[in-house]
Amino acid sequence: MTVSSLTNIGLQTSNGNASSSNSAASLSQNFDTFLTLLTTQLKNQDPTSPMESDKFTDQLSQFAQVEQGIQTNKNLENLLTMQGQQRQLSALSYVGAEIEAVGDTNWHTPGENLDFKYNISPEVPSAQLQIVDQEGKTIYSETVEDVSGVQTFSWDGKNNSGTDVAEGAYTLVIKPLGKDGETFKDEKGKEASVSIGIVGKVDSVDIGDNDIYLRIGDVSVPFTTLTNVKLAATASDNASDGNSGTGSTGNDGDDTASDEAA
């Protein structure tokens, strides 16, 4: 089962050319009806008071203008379709690349770390990081104190008992804490905002009518949520740069992509 990297984001499909096609069909039907009525009226008009030609000439002109407008829309839709196809072809080059994207759900493969980035605003004394499975059960948690700026979190796939968990999609939940250990609130009683991003390698690409989705395992990442991409050669060169451990965190020196996520 495919899982979205973002809450309530799913695959959607539509027919981009349906609008102009339906409009053209409707115009053709109306035009045929108009010609039938006009012909009938001309046949049965009073010879002593014939119908003025400028009236139906104006109507014919209006039909022609509408037809031109529909054809223009159809041409624009064809151009957009071609542009989308080119974008789809270019997306195939992302297979094997390491990406960063806005989202809180990532795919865990046994033996590999699961990587996230996050930013908490405003700065808080500490935060509780939780790994939640697809059933909503918290399987791992830890409290970290150095949470200023953009942070990285690398989870090694073990639960609180030190046991390896099964392959699957897992979500990072972050709860900013105040000095009293309770949920952080500022002087106005407002809670801190949290921005989360995922880091992973693209396994495949799903191409829909409205968007492109990159797959990390069975997690579907919308193309529009990408914040950073390292092509396959670059990603492999940097594969050993991440932290490891039961749940290691650290300040990320490259804040550019994650700041976009924030």
Side-chain angles (χ1 to χ4, degrees), residues 79-96:
L79 287 175
L80 290 174
T81 299
M82 294 174 61
Q83 185 180 34
Q85 291 172 345
Q86 183 63 35
R87 184 170 172 235
Q88 292 169 357
L89 289 174
S90 65
L92 298 177
S93 64
Y94 285 80
V95 175

Side-chain angles (χ1 to χ4, degrees), residues 109-173:
T109 300
E112 298 180 7
N113 284 7
L114 194 60
D115 297 320
F116 298 90
K117 288 189 175 183
Y118 66 92
N119 185 33
I120 302 175
S121 179
E123 186 174 333
V124 297
S126 61
Q128 185 182 59
L129 310 182
Q130 299 178 348
I131 296 294
V132 179
D133 62 18
Q134 288 301 292
E135 296 179 354
K137 180 181 178 181
T138 300
I139 60 173
Y140 175 81
S141 65
E142 69 170 281
T143 300
V144 293
E145 295 184 352
D146 183 12
V147 291
S148 59
V150 178
Q151 297 287 320
T152 60
F153 174 64
S154 187
W155 175 59
D156 67 354
K158 298 181 184 296
N159 59 23
N160 285 328
S161 301
T163 303
D164 292 327
V165 301
E167 181 179 25
Y170 294 88
T171 301
L172 174 63
V173 176

